[in-house]
Amino acid sequence: MAGVMARPVTGPMATEVHRRATPRTGSPDYPLVLTIVALLAFGLIMVYSASVVTAYTAYRNQYYYLIRQAAYAVVGLGAMVLLMRLDYHRLRAVSLPGLVLSLVLLAVVLLPGLGTEVYGAQRWLRVGGFQLQPSEFAKLGVIVYMAHWFTSKREQVRDFANGFIPFVVLLAVIVALMLKQPDLGTAIVVVTTAVAIFFVAGAHPLQLTLFLLVSGLALVPLIRMAPYRMARFLTFLDPWELPQGNGYHVVQALMGFGAGGFSGVGLGVGRQKFLYLPFPHTDSIFAVIGEELGLAGTLGLLLLFLFFTYRGLRIAWYAPDQFGRLLATGVTCVIIFQALINMGVLTSSLPFTGITLPFVSAGGSSLISKLASCGILLSVSRQTLSPDDQPRPTPRRHFWWRHGRSHLPGPGRRPGVAGRTA
Amino acid sequence: MERQIQRVGMFFLLSFVVLSGAAGYWQAWRGPALAVAPGNPRVLEAERRAQRGPILDRAGRPLVQSEDGRRTTATPITAHVTGYFSYRYGRTGIERANNEVLSGREGVPPLARLLRDLSGAPRRGGTVQLTIDSQLQAVADRALGDVRGAVVVIDVRTGAVLVALSKPYFDTARVDELWPGLSQNEARPLYNRVSQGLYVPGSTFKLVTAAAALDTGLLRPSTQVSDPTGETVIDGFRITDAERPPRPTFDFAHALAWSSNVVFAQVGVQLGEERLRDYAGRFGMGRQIPFELETSPTSVSRTAPMSRILLASTAFGQGELLMSPLQMALVGAAIARDGDVPRPFVVQEVRRPSGAVLARTQPATLGRATTPGTAAQLREMMALAVEEGFGRAAAVPGVRVGGKTGTAQSVPGLPDHSWFVGIAPVERPRLAIVVLKEFSGWGAEEAAPVARQVLERALQAVP
């Protein structure tokens, strides 16, 4: 790996050096910025509505979580703007230190006395007056490092010994640390995101099949080790089997969705958050949205995330090089996988696991790390080669449709595009 | 690379479509059912805020009301009719059967309901007025005394239940705090002996056997029968009378009055299993009686086909018979109204929160048990049993009362269960009564006097 680090550039040296000297930067992807701001605003409103009861019960201050969340949003937006203005290529230099720091924090949180145990899981580090959730930032560290590493590997990605094995080993270490907390939900998000990056980096289909097989087998001892995982797993098939036991959380969520119907019971007047639904302002906020704003609210939120997906993958599509492409893919996937899992769990479409809804759920580490990730995504977007503003000799394949043209790089492609041969 | 990104996009698009489907399923398709699912906090909360409607007796006297969100009871003696209402232990009796009205969910016009829900005004429940006469029930309570048992009085002309007393009773308003004691008490105070209690009926069942024998033409009241020794042997089993009849030969009417097991054993064997089961079924046995309160179905015999000795024992009221006081009252009521079995009911009227009548129970019949002629003959035989037989203690001065006592073997080593079923007045019956005293001895000595005290008052109360 040291060798990898020693090589600062990947493409043909001359081109890279030239572009590094004068990064071609445009404006960020404004539709994406708007989507993020919309999700954030929506989240703040819902955090207030969902946390009123809990906040008042615990702190005698109904605005407790709203104020904190707003502060986190400001910090997160600051981080986002900073990273957006930074040329994302500079991240390659800090990718290894970032990964090491992530691993250290993940290890430290497990140490007794340093990590804080909440609800039977040791996930938080106390830093000053704040609680830090290392796994949230570790996700970002993994994405940046994976993007960097696969970019360095180039064609070797498809190589079993040089591509597949290191990938699996690195992932296994991270997942093992996360499962020790235990935080199965975050581990699943990290694995799915890493696989998506690997896939886009050009993994061989056989490698992916093998990976799925291995991780499927790994689930067996995991479930054996913690019997509650099996119980949770079976609960989602019939949450009403134990409505006061394992199924309680999902049943309360579903009752909220049911009560919401098409148009919802009205913002702020939901009932489930009155200490019936666990974690109404964090993990379960989607159920509060479903109850108060109805199907209109849930479908609206789904559309926002879908549009986020579209813009994010579009940035990956038009990214100027492999590193940008993998970064954009990783950031989009980490956020969307997490959103899908959270919403899937609460609608009883997936087995239960506790995980926050990106941008919407209350929680500082989650929000700040997600906004920082978006800063990276927006940084990539500033250097994309959009067909709209870049006249080009040969039309590029467009993101959402194909025209049946060969995938081979055309002779008239712009210099600097990844995959271009010298 | 580009194709891969496209595939990731397709995967996400598909996931979003599936998730939208799931959201639509829970919110649109299952939504209405989930919104009122048991355990849903909004249902519980609405119920807590609701001013639950009162339960009144036939004269409008409140038996159960709501005060400051709590149920209060006027008297514990109607506990098993009104039932209890508890957030922890559920609902029974009328609180269960008429929950929709009492809680205010039913009986409110859609527009009024919408306005109420929109304004957030607490729900007000409707009123349930019962056919129970609480004063008469109190008379029955005193007459029965401090024993386990049941008293049922039915207005035979309609099927309205005037008295449905089950002892021991309890204060339904305190069920939450009393629960451990109530649920573990070996006297089983929680269950309604009137309709859920199943007992061997003893000689009171001879009415059913007699109905079958008369209606099928096997015997007439004047048919001569003989029982000279007070005992007989069937298939090696000895059958004895509780008391040897005063004459060796007598007519069938006196066989009922003197409660001759020997005669009824022989009648049962001659009738055969099929006809005996048929007539028991015509009176309602073996089926769930349609009734507002929880009922247990009675049974003639689990064994089929029955042996000769089982058939003989069944005919005089032992065997494997299981009878509830309510079912016994229906036998009396059917005989009182020319063989027609009335459908019993305890709810007279249901009213909206506004006071307007929502529903009034219409008398109905469960079917025909015997011909009017047979029923008339049985009435005279019951009158004879009170005038000359074991039922003398049930006689009310100035009124002809018909009846039949029963003494049913209970648990070995403990006193018998004591039964009485009666009708009054015999000429134009208005009332049917059943008294059951658990573990207290002879029907003639224990149950019949209770019936007299209740009937005296009931005949005044029900003109």
Side-chain angles (χ1 to χ4, degrees):
Chain A
M1 270 186 207
V4 170
M5 282 310 300
R7 240 176 31 206
V9 290
T10 58
M13 287 299 255
T15 322
E16 285 288 339
V17 168
H18 168 72
R19 211 193 46 197
R20 270 299 206 62
T22 55
R24 194 200 62 81
T25 49
S27 49
D29 188 76
Y30 284 120
L32 182 65
V33 174
L34 276 179
T35 311
I36 293 165
V37 170
L39 281 167
L40 209 52
F42 186 64
L44 279 175
I45 296 169
M46 291 318 299
V47 161
Y48 172 62
S49 175
S51 70
V52 164
V53 181
T54 320
Y56 191 77
T57 312
Y59 302 102
R60 298 280 146 203
N61 174 9
Q62 55 168 321
Y63 302 108
Y64 182 82
Y65 288 105
L66 175 69
I67 291 167
R68 288 174 76 96
Q69 186 72 356
Y72 296 141
V74 169
V75 174
L77 283 173
M80 183 176 97
V81 171
L82 276 179
L83 283 164
M84 181 180 87
R85 299 179 67 87
L86 182 82
D87 176 13
Y88 67 88
H89 294 96
R90 289 176 183 275
L91 290 172
R92 297 195 66 172
V94 296
S95 64
L96 185 62
L99 180 73
V100 171
L101 183 66
S102 301
L103 291 175
V104 167
L105 285 177
L106 282 177
V108 163
V109 80
L110 296 173
L111 295 176
L114 288 170
T116 312
E117 186 174 319
V118 180
Y119 300 113
Q122 199 149 344
R123 294 182 187 172
W124 284 268
L125 274 182
R126 199 172 275 283
V127 181
F130 292 93
Q131 289 202 329
L132 189 85
Q133 202 175 348
S135 56
E136 287 293 343
F137 294 97
K139 279 186 269 195
L140 188 52
V142 170
I143 293 166
V144 174
Y145 183 76
M146 289 264 173
H148 162 73
W149 185 63
F150 281 126
T151 308
S152 322
K153 286 281 165 190
R154 295 174 59 79
E155 295 306 312
Q156 280 187 317
V157 165
R158 296 173 83 90
D159 190 282
F160 188 76
N162 286 315
F164 184 68
I165 294 289
F167 169 75
V168 172
V169 169
L170 175 60
L171 208 50
V173 171
I174 297 162
V175 166
L177 284 170
M178 287 183 169
L179 287 180
K180 196 85 184 113
Q181 297 185 4
D183 190 352
L184 182 64
T186 305
I188 289 171
V189 170
V190 166
V191 170
T192 47
T193 304
V195 168
I197 297 174
F198 191 29
F199 179 64
V200 172
H204 195 278
L206 268 177
Q207 291 176 325
L208 289 176
T209 316
L210 186 65
F211 182 83
L212 285 178
L213 226 68
V214 169
S215 40
L217 284 175
L219 278 180
V220 176
L222 283 182
I223 287 173
R224 286 262 174 87
M225 275 190 317
Y228 74 89
R229 292 203 182 108
M230 195 63 198
R232 276 183 174 186
F233 184 80
L234 295 177
T235 296
F236 99 100
L237 298 173
D238 180 15
W240 266 273
E241 193 192 346
L242 285 169
Q244 294 298 323
N246 275 320
Y248 179 79
H249 194 151
V250 171
V251 163
Q252 292 300 328
L254 293 180
M255 281 175 176
F257 284 117
F262 283 99
S263 55
V265 298
L267 185 62
V269 293
R271 284 284 169 272
Q272 296 299 115
K273 64 193 182 194
F274 280 84
L275 313 181
Y276 292 107
L277 182 68
F279 316 116
H281 55 292
T282 57
D283 292 3
S284 316
I285 198 160
F286 187 54
V288 177
I289 294 167
E291 183 186 10
E292 300 195 344
L293 304 179
L295 195 56
T298 48
L299 289 187
L301 187 66
L302 279 170
L303 279 177
L304 272 179
F305 276 115
L306 185 61
F307 189 68
F308 183 98
T309 315
Y310 168 67
R311 293 315 293 191
L313 292 182
R314 191 177 179 278
I315 290 166
W317 180 271
Y318 292 118
D321 50 25
Q322 176 78 335
F323 183 55
R325 191 191 330 274
L326 295 184
L327 266 186
T329 305
V331 170
T332 308
C333 286
V334 82
I335 287 168
I336 297 307
F337 273 128
Q338 186 163 341
L340 286 172
I341 290 174
N342 174 279
M343 297 187 283
V345 162
L346 290 174
T347 52
S348 203
S349 321
L350 288 175
F352 191 88
T353 184
I355 199 168
T356 56
L357 185 60
F359 306 119
V360 183
S361 288
S365 298
S366 168
L367 186 62
I368 293 169
S369 68
K370 253 89 198 182
L371 286 172
S373 313
C374 287
I376 296 173
L377 186 59
L378 289 168
S379 170
V380 178
S381 79
R382 293 178 70 202
Q383 299 185 34
T384 50
L385 317 155
S386 171
D388 310 326
D389 50 17
Q390 302 286 327
R392 62 184 70 249
T394 323
R396 261 172 78 99
R397 266 152 49 80
H398 198 271
F399 181 27
W400 279 117
W401 65 84
R402 302 180 179 189
H403 44 61
R405 214 179 288 265
S406 155
H407 301 154
L408 291 172
R413 283 188 127 186
R414 274 176 40 86
V417 176
R420 173 190 176 275
T421 45
Chain B
M1 318 270 148
E2 294 168 336
R3 177 180 281 183
Q4 275 89 328
I5 294 177
Q6 224 164 17
R7 286 192 182 153
V8 171
M10 289 313 290
F11 172 80
F12 281 139
L13 184 63
L14 200 71
S15 305
F16 276 107
V17 169
V18 169
L19 206 49
S20 307
Y25 172 74
W26 291 114
Q27 302 200 259
W29 181 254
R30 293 279 302 273
L34 279 174
V36 295
N40 191 330
R42 68 194 52 252
V43 175
L44 290 176
E45 200 189 331
E47 220 145 72
R48 260 175 234 265
R49 291 209 314 145
Q51 171 86 4
R52 207 171 161 80
I55 302 175
L56 314 177
D57 88 338
R58 69 186 291 115
R61 287 180 286 258
L63 301 174
V64 181
Q65 305 178 77
S66 286
E67 268 169 35
D68 305 329
R70 286 187 72 249
R71 281 309 236 182
T72 58
T73 45
T75 166
I77 60 172
T78 48
H80 296 93
V81 182
T82 62
Y84 59 78
F85 173 83
S86 159
Y87 293 110
R88 217 176 302 167
Y89 303 111
R91 300 177 279 264
T92 60
I94 292 302
E95 296 272 25
R96 179 186 64 86
N98 293 77
N99 182 50
E100 296 295 301
V101 168
L102 289 169
S103 66
R105 268 199 293 280
E106 201 181 288
V108 182
L111 188 65
R113 188 181 324 186
L114 186 69
L115 285 173
R116 181 191 69 195
D117 291 349
L118 283 179
S119 67
R123 221 162 44 195
R124 231 155 37 92
T127 304
V128 175
Q129 183 158 24
L130 303 180
T131 57
I132 298 291
D133 184 326
S134 60
Q135 288 185 345
L136 205 54
Q137 181 125 341
V139 170
D141 177 42
R142 281 194 299 275
L144 193 60
D146 193 18
V147 295
R148 304 174 192 175
V151 177
V152 188
V153 177
I154 291 182
D155 185 331
V156 300
R157 298 163 297 185
T158 57
V161 177
L162 305 174
V163 172
L165 175 73
S166 174
K167 285 183 98 164
Y169 41 66
F170 58 98
D171 186 355
T172 55
R174 295 173 60 211
V175 70
D176 280 343
E177 55 185 291
L178 299 176
W179 185 264
L182 290 174
S183 58
Q184 280 155 33
N185 193 323
E186 65 72 48
R188 301 185 64 195
L190 284 170
Y191 96 125
N192 184 359
R193 284 169 160 74
V194 168
S195 52
Q196 293 177 291
L198 293 177
Y199 304 86
V200 178
S203 301
T204 54
F205 187 77
K206 285 174 180 155
L207 288 174
V208 176
T209 309
L214 296 173
D215 215 47
T216 54
L218 183 69
L219 294 167
R220 283 178 291 120
S222 57
T223 306
Q224 287 296 304
V225 292
S226 73
D227 176 13
T229 58
E231 61 176 60
T232 186
V233 174
I234 292 180
D235 290 350
F237 290 92
R238 181 187 302 272
I239 287 168
T240 54
D241 295 339
E243 203 171 283
R244 187 160 62 90
R247 297 204 298 271
T249 59
F250 40 87
D251 60 17
F252 183 51
H254 280 86
L256 185 78
W258 293 331
S259 208
S260 165
N261 289 349
V262 172
V263 170
F264 273 87
Q266 287 157 355
V267 169
V269 172
Q270 284 177 44
L271 270 174
E273 179 179 349
E274 198 180 320
R275 283 193 281 187
L276 193 60
R277 278 188 189 273
D278 174 34
Y279 274 87
R282 290 187 190 201
F283 282 104
M285 287 189 72
R287 284 180 289 150
Q288 188 87 38
I289 301 168
F291 194 45
E292 294 97 333
L293 309 179
E294 297 84 354
T295 59
S296 302
T298 54
S299 139
V300 176
S301 167
R302 282 175 287 117
T303 316
M306 289 149 82
S307 62
R308 258 163 58 95
I309 177 63
L310 180 56
L311 184 58
S313 323
T314 306
F316 63 81
Q318 290 293 144
E320 296 176 352
L321 280 162
L322 289 174
M323 178 69 87
S324 69
L326 179 69
Q327 173 62 64
M328 201 65 237
L330 291 185
V331 172
I335 293 169
R337 50 187 250 165
D338 288 343
D340 182 44
V341 187
R343 178 171 67 82
F345 62 93
V346 76
V347 174
Q348 183 169 292
E349 198 174 275
V350 173
R351 291 196 285 270
R352 297 180 194 278
S354 62
V357 174
L358 186 64
R360 186 174 281 139
T361 308
Q362 296 303 316
T365 170
L366 294 182
R368 180 155 286 282
T370 69
T371 62
T374 301
Q377 289 171 341
L378 285 167
R379 284 199 293 274
E380 284 305 319
M381 286 166 72
M382 287 173 82
L384 188 70
V386 170
E387 282 151 15
E388 295 182 26
F390 291 144
R392 275 183 292 265
V396 176
V399 183
R400 272 192 92 199
V401 174
K404 180 74 198 86
T405 55
T407 305
Q409 290 164 15
S410 62
V411 186
L414 285 177
D416 297 334
H417 294 325
S418 150
W419 282 87
F420 181 83
V421 50
I423 55 173
V426 172
E427 301 80 23
R428 284 193 65 192
R430 303 200 293 273
L431 302 171
I433 183 170
V434 167
V435 175
L436 167 77
K437 283 175 93 169
E438 285 184 23
F439 307 112
S440 55
W442 256 63
E445 289 169 0
E446 297 295 330
V450 176
R452 191 201 75 234
Q453 293 178 51
V454 177
L455 279 178
E456 270 181 14
R457 283 293 296 274
L459 286 166
Q460 292 168 14
V462 184

